[in-house]
Amino acid sequence: MTATEDLIASAEAHSAHNYHPLPVVVASAQGAWMTDVEGRRYLDMLAGYSALNFGHGNPRLIEAATEQLGRVTLTSRAFHHDRFAEFCARLARLCGKEMVLPMNTGAEAVETAVKTARKWGYRVKGVPGGRARIVVAANNFHGRTTTIVSFSTDPEARADYGPYTPGFDIVPFGDLGALRDAVTEDTVAVLIEPVQGEAGVLVPPPGYLPGVRELTRERGVLFVADEIQSGLGRTGRTFACEHEDVVPDVYLLGKALGGGVVPVSAVVADADVLGVFRPGEHGSTFGGNPLACAVGLEVVAMLETGEFQQRATELGEHLHAELGLLAGSGKVVEVRGRGLWAGVDIDPSHGTGREISEKLMERGVLVKDTHGSTIRIAPPLVISKEDLDWGLDQLRAVLG
Ligand SMILES: *Cc1c(COP(=O)(O)O)cnc(C)c1O
């Protein structure tokens, strides 16, 4: 047995099989490159589902984390600590909002948004007790908790986890008419991803996000944008909503906010929304801890300059031009996305998304399939143009 086979067999024997990883065992990584236990190098074109927007081992993030590791890492929110105020203030400013509620994982940010919207609905909007409803989109991905999978339309993510949390209405993504019909006096929020990542990098039709903004404003409903995957530079802007000049009431952030170093998530909104919480009504032992704040603050500082957004725009134009040529030649059926983010539907005659991913792995490129014959491409924003081109060469080679 090779070291790789040995480690995979052991992982399979001793861990739950809730994932089906590609057969590569990573030992170290730097920038856009990972090295496996046998010394083979791979170009990372997934970037931890955009948690690694700034690349592996980003020197600024490692330095911020290392410095903080030597000072204090956890206080709990029972006490103040000296990194909290600046992180919240700078993140709020980046978002153009007044307040931040820090959590850890994306799912916790979504759960926090559900609680925020319901409490806001009862306390501010005046919805009768127990009647608040939240409208979500079909094919959403917002995380894995029992409440969140209650409003998933993916049978794999949802089956056998009932009884499900009530209070959600599901409408087709991108359909304003359906959304308008679904909103009632009891609706407290519309929760959507501005670009649906797990669904295959689906960009809604132009005008949809502005339409959601207008409708929610008219009807006194919170517009909650789950920018956990689409936000923080990936699409070429700080937020995907910016492409259509839309400002939601609530941003949900995660993934890249922790720089691939620690889990950091946040709900960001104005005081008339996040002000609904009183002490004891919500919380998290690790949320807003000093290490998370130190890393998150450095992430915010990196985004303030706009350089990563610019890079995602430029490399993204190149990526989509190249993928467009492949689509023109008939080797791929469709390409979607924005910035340095693409969902590529492969002609099924070339194999499933999984088979394509395995062939790319053999050529030193790591991507992840989603739903049948779709692969998604989302390299770290620090990838060089040469490396991106090399990765695309491997895709062309695999597609013959
Ligand atoms: C990944 C993701 C989540 C969940 O984040 P976790 O940190 O895995 O809990 C929620 N929403 C979107 C859009 C995501 O991509």
Side-chain angles (χ1 to χ4, degrees), residues 105-107 110 141-143 193 226 228-229 255:
T105 64
V110 174
F141 183 84
H142 296 290
E193 301 153 82
D226 181 346
I228 289 167
Q229 193 166 157
K255 293 204 165 97

Side-chain angles (χ1 to χ4, degrees), residues 204-273:
Y208 179 67
L209 296 174
V212 175
R213 176 66 285 185
E214 204 180 298
L215 177 70
T216 47
R217 190 174 281 130
E218 262 168 33
R219 304 293 298 272
V221 170
L222 297 177
F223 179 1
V224 182
D226 181 346
E227 294 254 17
I228 289 167
Q229 193 166 157
S230 59
L232 308 184
R234 175 55 59 191
T235 68
R237 304 286 170 86
T238 307
F239 304 108
C241 284
E242 277 177 61
H243 287 279
E244 297 211 60
D245 295 319
V246 162
V247 178
D249 298 299
V250 180
Y251 288 108
L252 306 185
L253 303 175
K255 293 204 165 97
L257 190 56
V261 180
V262 281
V264 186
S265 69
V267 177
V268 188
D270 280 337
D272 59 345
V273 177

Side-chain angles (χ1 to χ4, degrees), residues 44-50 53 234 319 340-342 376-380:
D44 182 0
M45 298 267 264
L46 177 67
Y49 305 92
S50 289
N53 279 0
R234 175 55 59 191
L319 171 70
L340 202 49
W341 196 17
R376 61 187 133 180
I377 297 181

